[in-house]
């Protein structure tokens, strides 16, 4: 047999997608393991999404990530869903199986939990406060609950969304969950072990902004996490650090969800140091 010049294809469909750093990270991982895989960062509009999904099969992609605005629409195209993706109601990773069927998973929340665990944190029995009720918050709240958290408080500007997520977590997991409306300066509930910013507040170019919370209610006993990864050292985390809290930035979550995707598509364990190091270099973090 001659040489095989055909690459295995993976990628991301989104719009906007230009600033998505996942491809740089995944390709660094492929190269480190000598895998003939590529990661295509493709702008796909909602109107073109059906054709893009046909293309996925036609070009024998191994899989693809979905980002805004396709994470929910993609559910209509899938043959099977993971338990977490079913509960969360959104998919960020599709695997094209050998027989052509499509499997949907959501690795955002798992990436968050694993990044937290990598810092020595154990989620079981913990009281968690989540700022936000959007896609990232949904994935994080569900996975923290599945990982054994005792309680999850969802704080959101739009109360309806917080209530819907709190109901979902209470119904589908063992954790107790309550919703709180975020109007004015929010005081972190006493007894919070882990406080998470799962909103986009602080994301570049608006990196001079921070969630409107009473930072004096953040204590040294708390672990404070941000989903925002650009910049990695958000104002939110700097303020929490000034209160003596342990902080965890959004790069670990991004790297670890990427590592899960890597394994789903290639069958190989991802070189997590390479993935994390690539992201740090990309965002100029020492
Ligand atoms: P969504 O649009 O689904 O949700 C945004 C959330 O932020 C909502 O709860 C919204 O509240 C809240 N929000 C936005 N602006 C404000 C504001 N000014 N005041 C109060 N609340 C606000 O976005 P995603 O959940 O998909 O993404 C959120 C962030 O997570 C982004 O920065 C994204 O880059 C990051 N992310 C990071 C990942 C990682 O691996 N580190 C993975 C995935 C996402 P409301 O409901 O009231 O509108």
């Amino acid at each position: 047999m001659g040489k095989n010049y055909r690459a295995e294809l993976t990628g991301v469909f989104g719009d906007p997608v230009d600033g998505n750093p996942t491809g740089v990270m995944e390709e660094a991982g492929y190269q480190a393991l000598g895998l003939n895989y590529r990661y295509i960062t493709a702008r796909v509009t909602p109107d073109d999404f059906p054709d893009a999904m046909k293309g996925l099969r036609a070009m024998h992609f191994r899989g693809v990530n979905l980002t805004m605005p396709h994470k929910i629409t993609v559910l209509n195209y899938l043959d099977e869903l993971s338990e977490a993706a079913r509960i969360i109601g959104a998919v960020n990773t599709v695997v094209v199986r050998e027989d052509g069927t499509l499997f949907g998973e959501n690795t955002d929340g798992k990436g968050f939990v694993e990044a937290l665990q990598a810092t020595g944190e154990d989620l079981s029995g913990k009281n968690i406060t989540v700022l936000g009720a959007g896609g990232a918050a949904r994935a994080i709240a569900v996975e923290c609950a599945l990982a054994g958290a005792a309680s999850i408080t969802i704080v959101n500007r739009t109360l309806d969304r917080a209530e819907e997520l709190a109901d979902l977590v209470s119904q589908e997991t063992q954790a107790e969950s309550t919703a709180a409306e975020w109007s004015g300066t929010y005081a972190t509930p006493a007894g919070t072990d882990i406080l998470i910013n799962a909103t986009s507040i602080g994301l570049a170019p608006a990196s001079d902004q921070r969630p409107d919370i009473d930072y004096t209610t953040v204590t040294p006993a708390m672990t404070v996490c941000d989903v925002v990864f650009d910049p990695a050292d958000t104002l939110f985390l700097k303020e929490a650090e000034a209160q003596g809290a342990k902080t965890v930035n959004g790069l670990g979550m991004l790297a670890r969800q990427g590592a899960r995707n890597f394994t789903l598509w290639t069958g190989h364990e991802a070189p997590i140091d390479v993935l994390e190091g690539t992201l740090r270099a990309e965002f100029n973090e020492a």
Side-chain angles (χ1 to χ4, degrees):
M1 236 177 65
K3 278 190 171 183
N4 177 14
Y5 292 105
R6 182 180 63 82
E8 303 294 346
L9 301 178
T10 62
V12 57
F13 296 162
D15 184 28
V17 78
D18 294 10
N20 191 311
T22 308
V24 182
M25 167 178 73
E26 298 289 12
E27 292 220 331
Y30 297 154
Q31 274 167 28
L33 264 60
L35 299 170
N36 190 17
Y37 273 63
R38 301 286 184 281
Y39 190 101
I40 313 295
T41 301
R43 186 169 83 86
V44 174
T45 64
D47 282 352
D48 289 332
F49 190 68
D51 287 341
M53 290 305 287
K54 270 191 200 157
L56 192 70
R57 286 180 201 266
M59 291 182 273
H60 298 98
F61 268 61
R62 285 294 185 113
V64 75
N65 285 136
L66 287 320
T67 187
M68 244 169 37
H70 306 309
K71 285 186 179 183
I72 297 171
T73 319
V74 72
L75 294 173
N76 300 318
Y77 297 79
L78 304 176
D79 299 293
E80 196 187 330
L81 279 182
S82 74
E83 173 72 353
R86 179 189 66 76
I87 299 174
I88 295 162
V91 158
N92 76 329
T93 305
V94 169
V95 178
V96 185
R97 292 176 169 142
E98 289 291 330
D99 64 2
T101 57
L102 303 184
F103 172 72
E105 172 62 289
N106 194 314
T107 56
D108 281 339
K110 290 183 179 72
F112 175 83
V113 167
E114 285 174 8
L116 204 52
Q117 287 166 341
T119 72
E121 203 75 42
D122 178 7
L123 281 158
S124 57
K126 293 289 163 66
N127 299 311
I128 298 182
T129 300
V130 179
L131 305 174
R138 284 178 80 87
I140 287 171
V142 167
E143 294 289 359
C144 285
L146 293 176
S151 78
I152 316 237
T153 304
I154 314 286
V155 186
N156 201 45
R157 179 176 61 179
T158 311
L159 180 61
D160 287 1
R161 290 182 93 188
E163 283 173 339
E164 198 220 318
L165 177 54
D167 287 349
L168 180 81
V169 171
S170 298
Q171 281 159 20
E172 298 275 358
T173 76
Q174 299 298 309
E176 275 180 34
S177 189
T178 51
E181 187 172 3
W182 193 357
S183 57
T185 305
Y186 182 75
T188 313
T192 297
D193 299 304
I194 301 170
L195 170 66
I196 305 157
N197 174 37
T199 75
S200 45
I201 302 168
L203 180 65
S207 53
D208 58 339
Q209 291 178 18
R210 54 178 201 184
D212 185 9
I213 67 164
D214 177 357
Y215 286 88
T216 65
T217 59
V218 174
T219 71
M222 291 181 193
T223 298
V224 177
C225 316
D226 209 328
V227 295
V228 172
F229 53 80
D230 180 18
D233 58 339
T234 57
L235 211 48
F236 175 66
L237 293 182
K238 284 183 189 159
E239 296 276 6
E241 221 167 72
Q243 296 298 319
K246 171 182 160 184
T247 60
V248 181
N249 71 33
L251 287 180
M253 172 182 178
L254 190 61
R256 295 205 179 245
Q257 60 86 30
R260 283 202 161 243
N261 305 340
F262 187 102
T263 302
L264 284 167
W265 296 328
T266 68
H268 292 277
E269 194 176 324
I272 187 68
D273 293 348
V274 172
L275 269 53
E276 276 186 342
T278 304
L279 282 181
R280 277 203 207 96
E282 209 56 38
F283 292 101
N284 294 321
E285 206 205 25

